[in-house]
Amino acid sequence: SGLIMAIPTSRILSLSVLLIAMMQLAHVSEASDVQEMSQEDHENAVDGNEVWLVEFYSPMCGSCKEFSPEFEAVAKAVGKSVKVGKLNIQKHMKYVNSLQGILDQGIPAVRLYDAHVHKDGIIVGTHHSAEEIIEFVQVNTEINPVNGEGIRLKMPVEGEL
């Protein structure tokens, strides 16, 4: 207790602010299972050989910020079999506007892509819980029936969320 008395109050306050800032930085820098995508990343995902779950979002959108932890939970649950990414619509507005109906239901918008089955992506929807999206992905994907390798979308897709 004598040590605390020897430190001026302003110094304790400064150290407290520094500690809080460090804790916030540590939280922000946690590794994410969701890949931040560029236009090129999205184009490669749409044309590629893997199934992708993609969120279209804006960093200024309150609903998108609220949905972010849900989407992270989805990525943790399905990320071993399905690639998970997000595309900032503000950075890539011209590109997003060129895509079929991405923003029709508002944001955050989530689509499931498999170039071999449905290149425009399957609408997963908006404002759903992690559990609902995980179930949708699990119900609508399967081991590739052609060669037994990788994951593919089942056809037909069982409804929209």
Side-chain angles (χ1 to χ4, degrees):
S1 68
L3 178 61
I4 293 177
M5 297 296 243
I7 300 173
T9 306
S10 62
R11 182 84 169 139
I12 291 174
L13 185 59
S14 296
L15 289 172
S16 298
V17 169
L18 179 62
L19 181 60
I20 291 169
M22 288 172 57
M23 289 169 53
Q24 288 176 340
L25 283 175
H27 178 71
V28 169
S29 64
E30 287 178 11
S32 173
D33 293 313
V34 180
Q35 176 185 332
E36 182 71 42
M37 302 178 87
S38 66
Q39 175 179 336
E40 182 179 355
D41 293 333
H42 186 262
E43 289 169 343
N44 290 336
V46 169
D47 292 331
N49 291 319
E50 297 171 303
V51 175
W52 276 85
L53 185 66
V54 179
E55 174 195 7
F56 296 86
Y57 79 102
S58 167
M60 305 303 290
C61 165
S63 296
C64 298
K65 289 176 185 176
E66 290 175 15
F67 179 68
S68 184
E70 293 289 322
F71 202 61
E72 285 288 342
V74 170
K76 285 189 186 330
V78 302
K80 300 283 187 253
S81 57
V82 174
K83 299 281 188 178
V84 182
K86 62 183 181 178
L87 186 73
N88 181 335
I89 66 168
Q90 283 182 253
K91 283 185 179 176
H92 307 286
M93 184 56 77
K94 185 175 180 183
Y95 173 67
V96 171
N97 283 334
S98 74
L99 301 173
Q100 182 180 343
I102 293 294
L103 303 178
D104 287 356
Q105 296 181 354
I107 56 173
V110 179
R111 289 215 176 178
L112 190 59
Y113 291 93
D114 182 343
H116 301 283
V117 178
H118 201 297
K119 192 172 179 170
D120 290 328
I122 304 301
I123 298 169
V124 177
T126 60
H127 310 290
H128 295 291
S129 70
E131 292 79 17
E132 290 171 317
I133 295 171
I134 292 164
E135 182 179 356
F136 183 85
V137 170
Q138 290 171 341
V139 165
N140 289 294
T141 57
E142 64 186 352
I143 300 296
N144 185 347
V146 175
N147 61 13
E149 296 177 9
I151 300 292
R152 290 284 168 253
L153 284 177
K154 292 179 187 176
M155 289 310 281
V157 171
E158 294 185 23
E160 275 185 26
L161 266 180

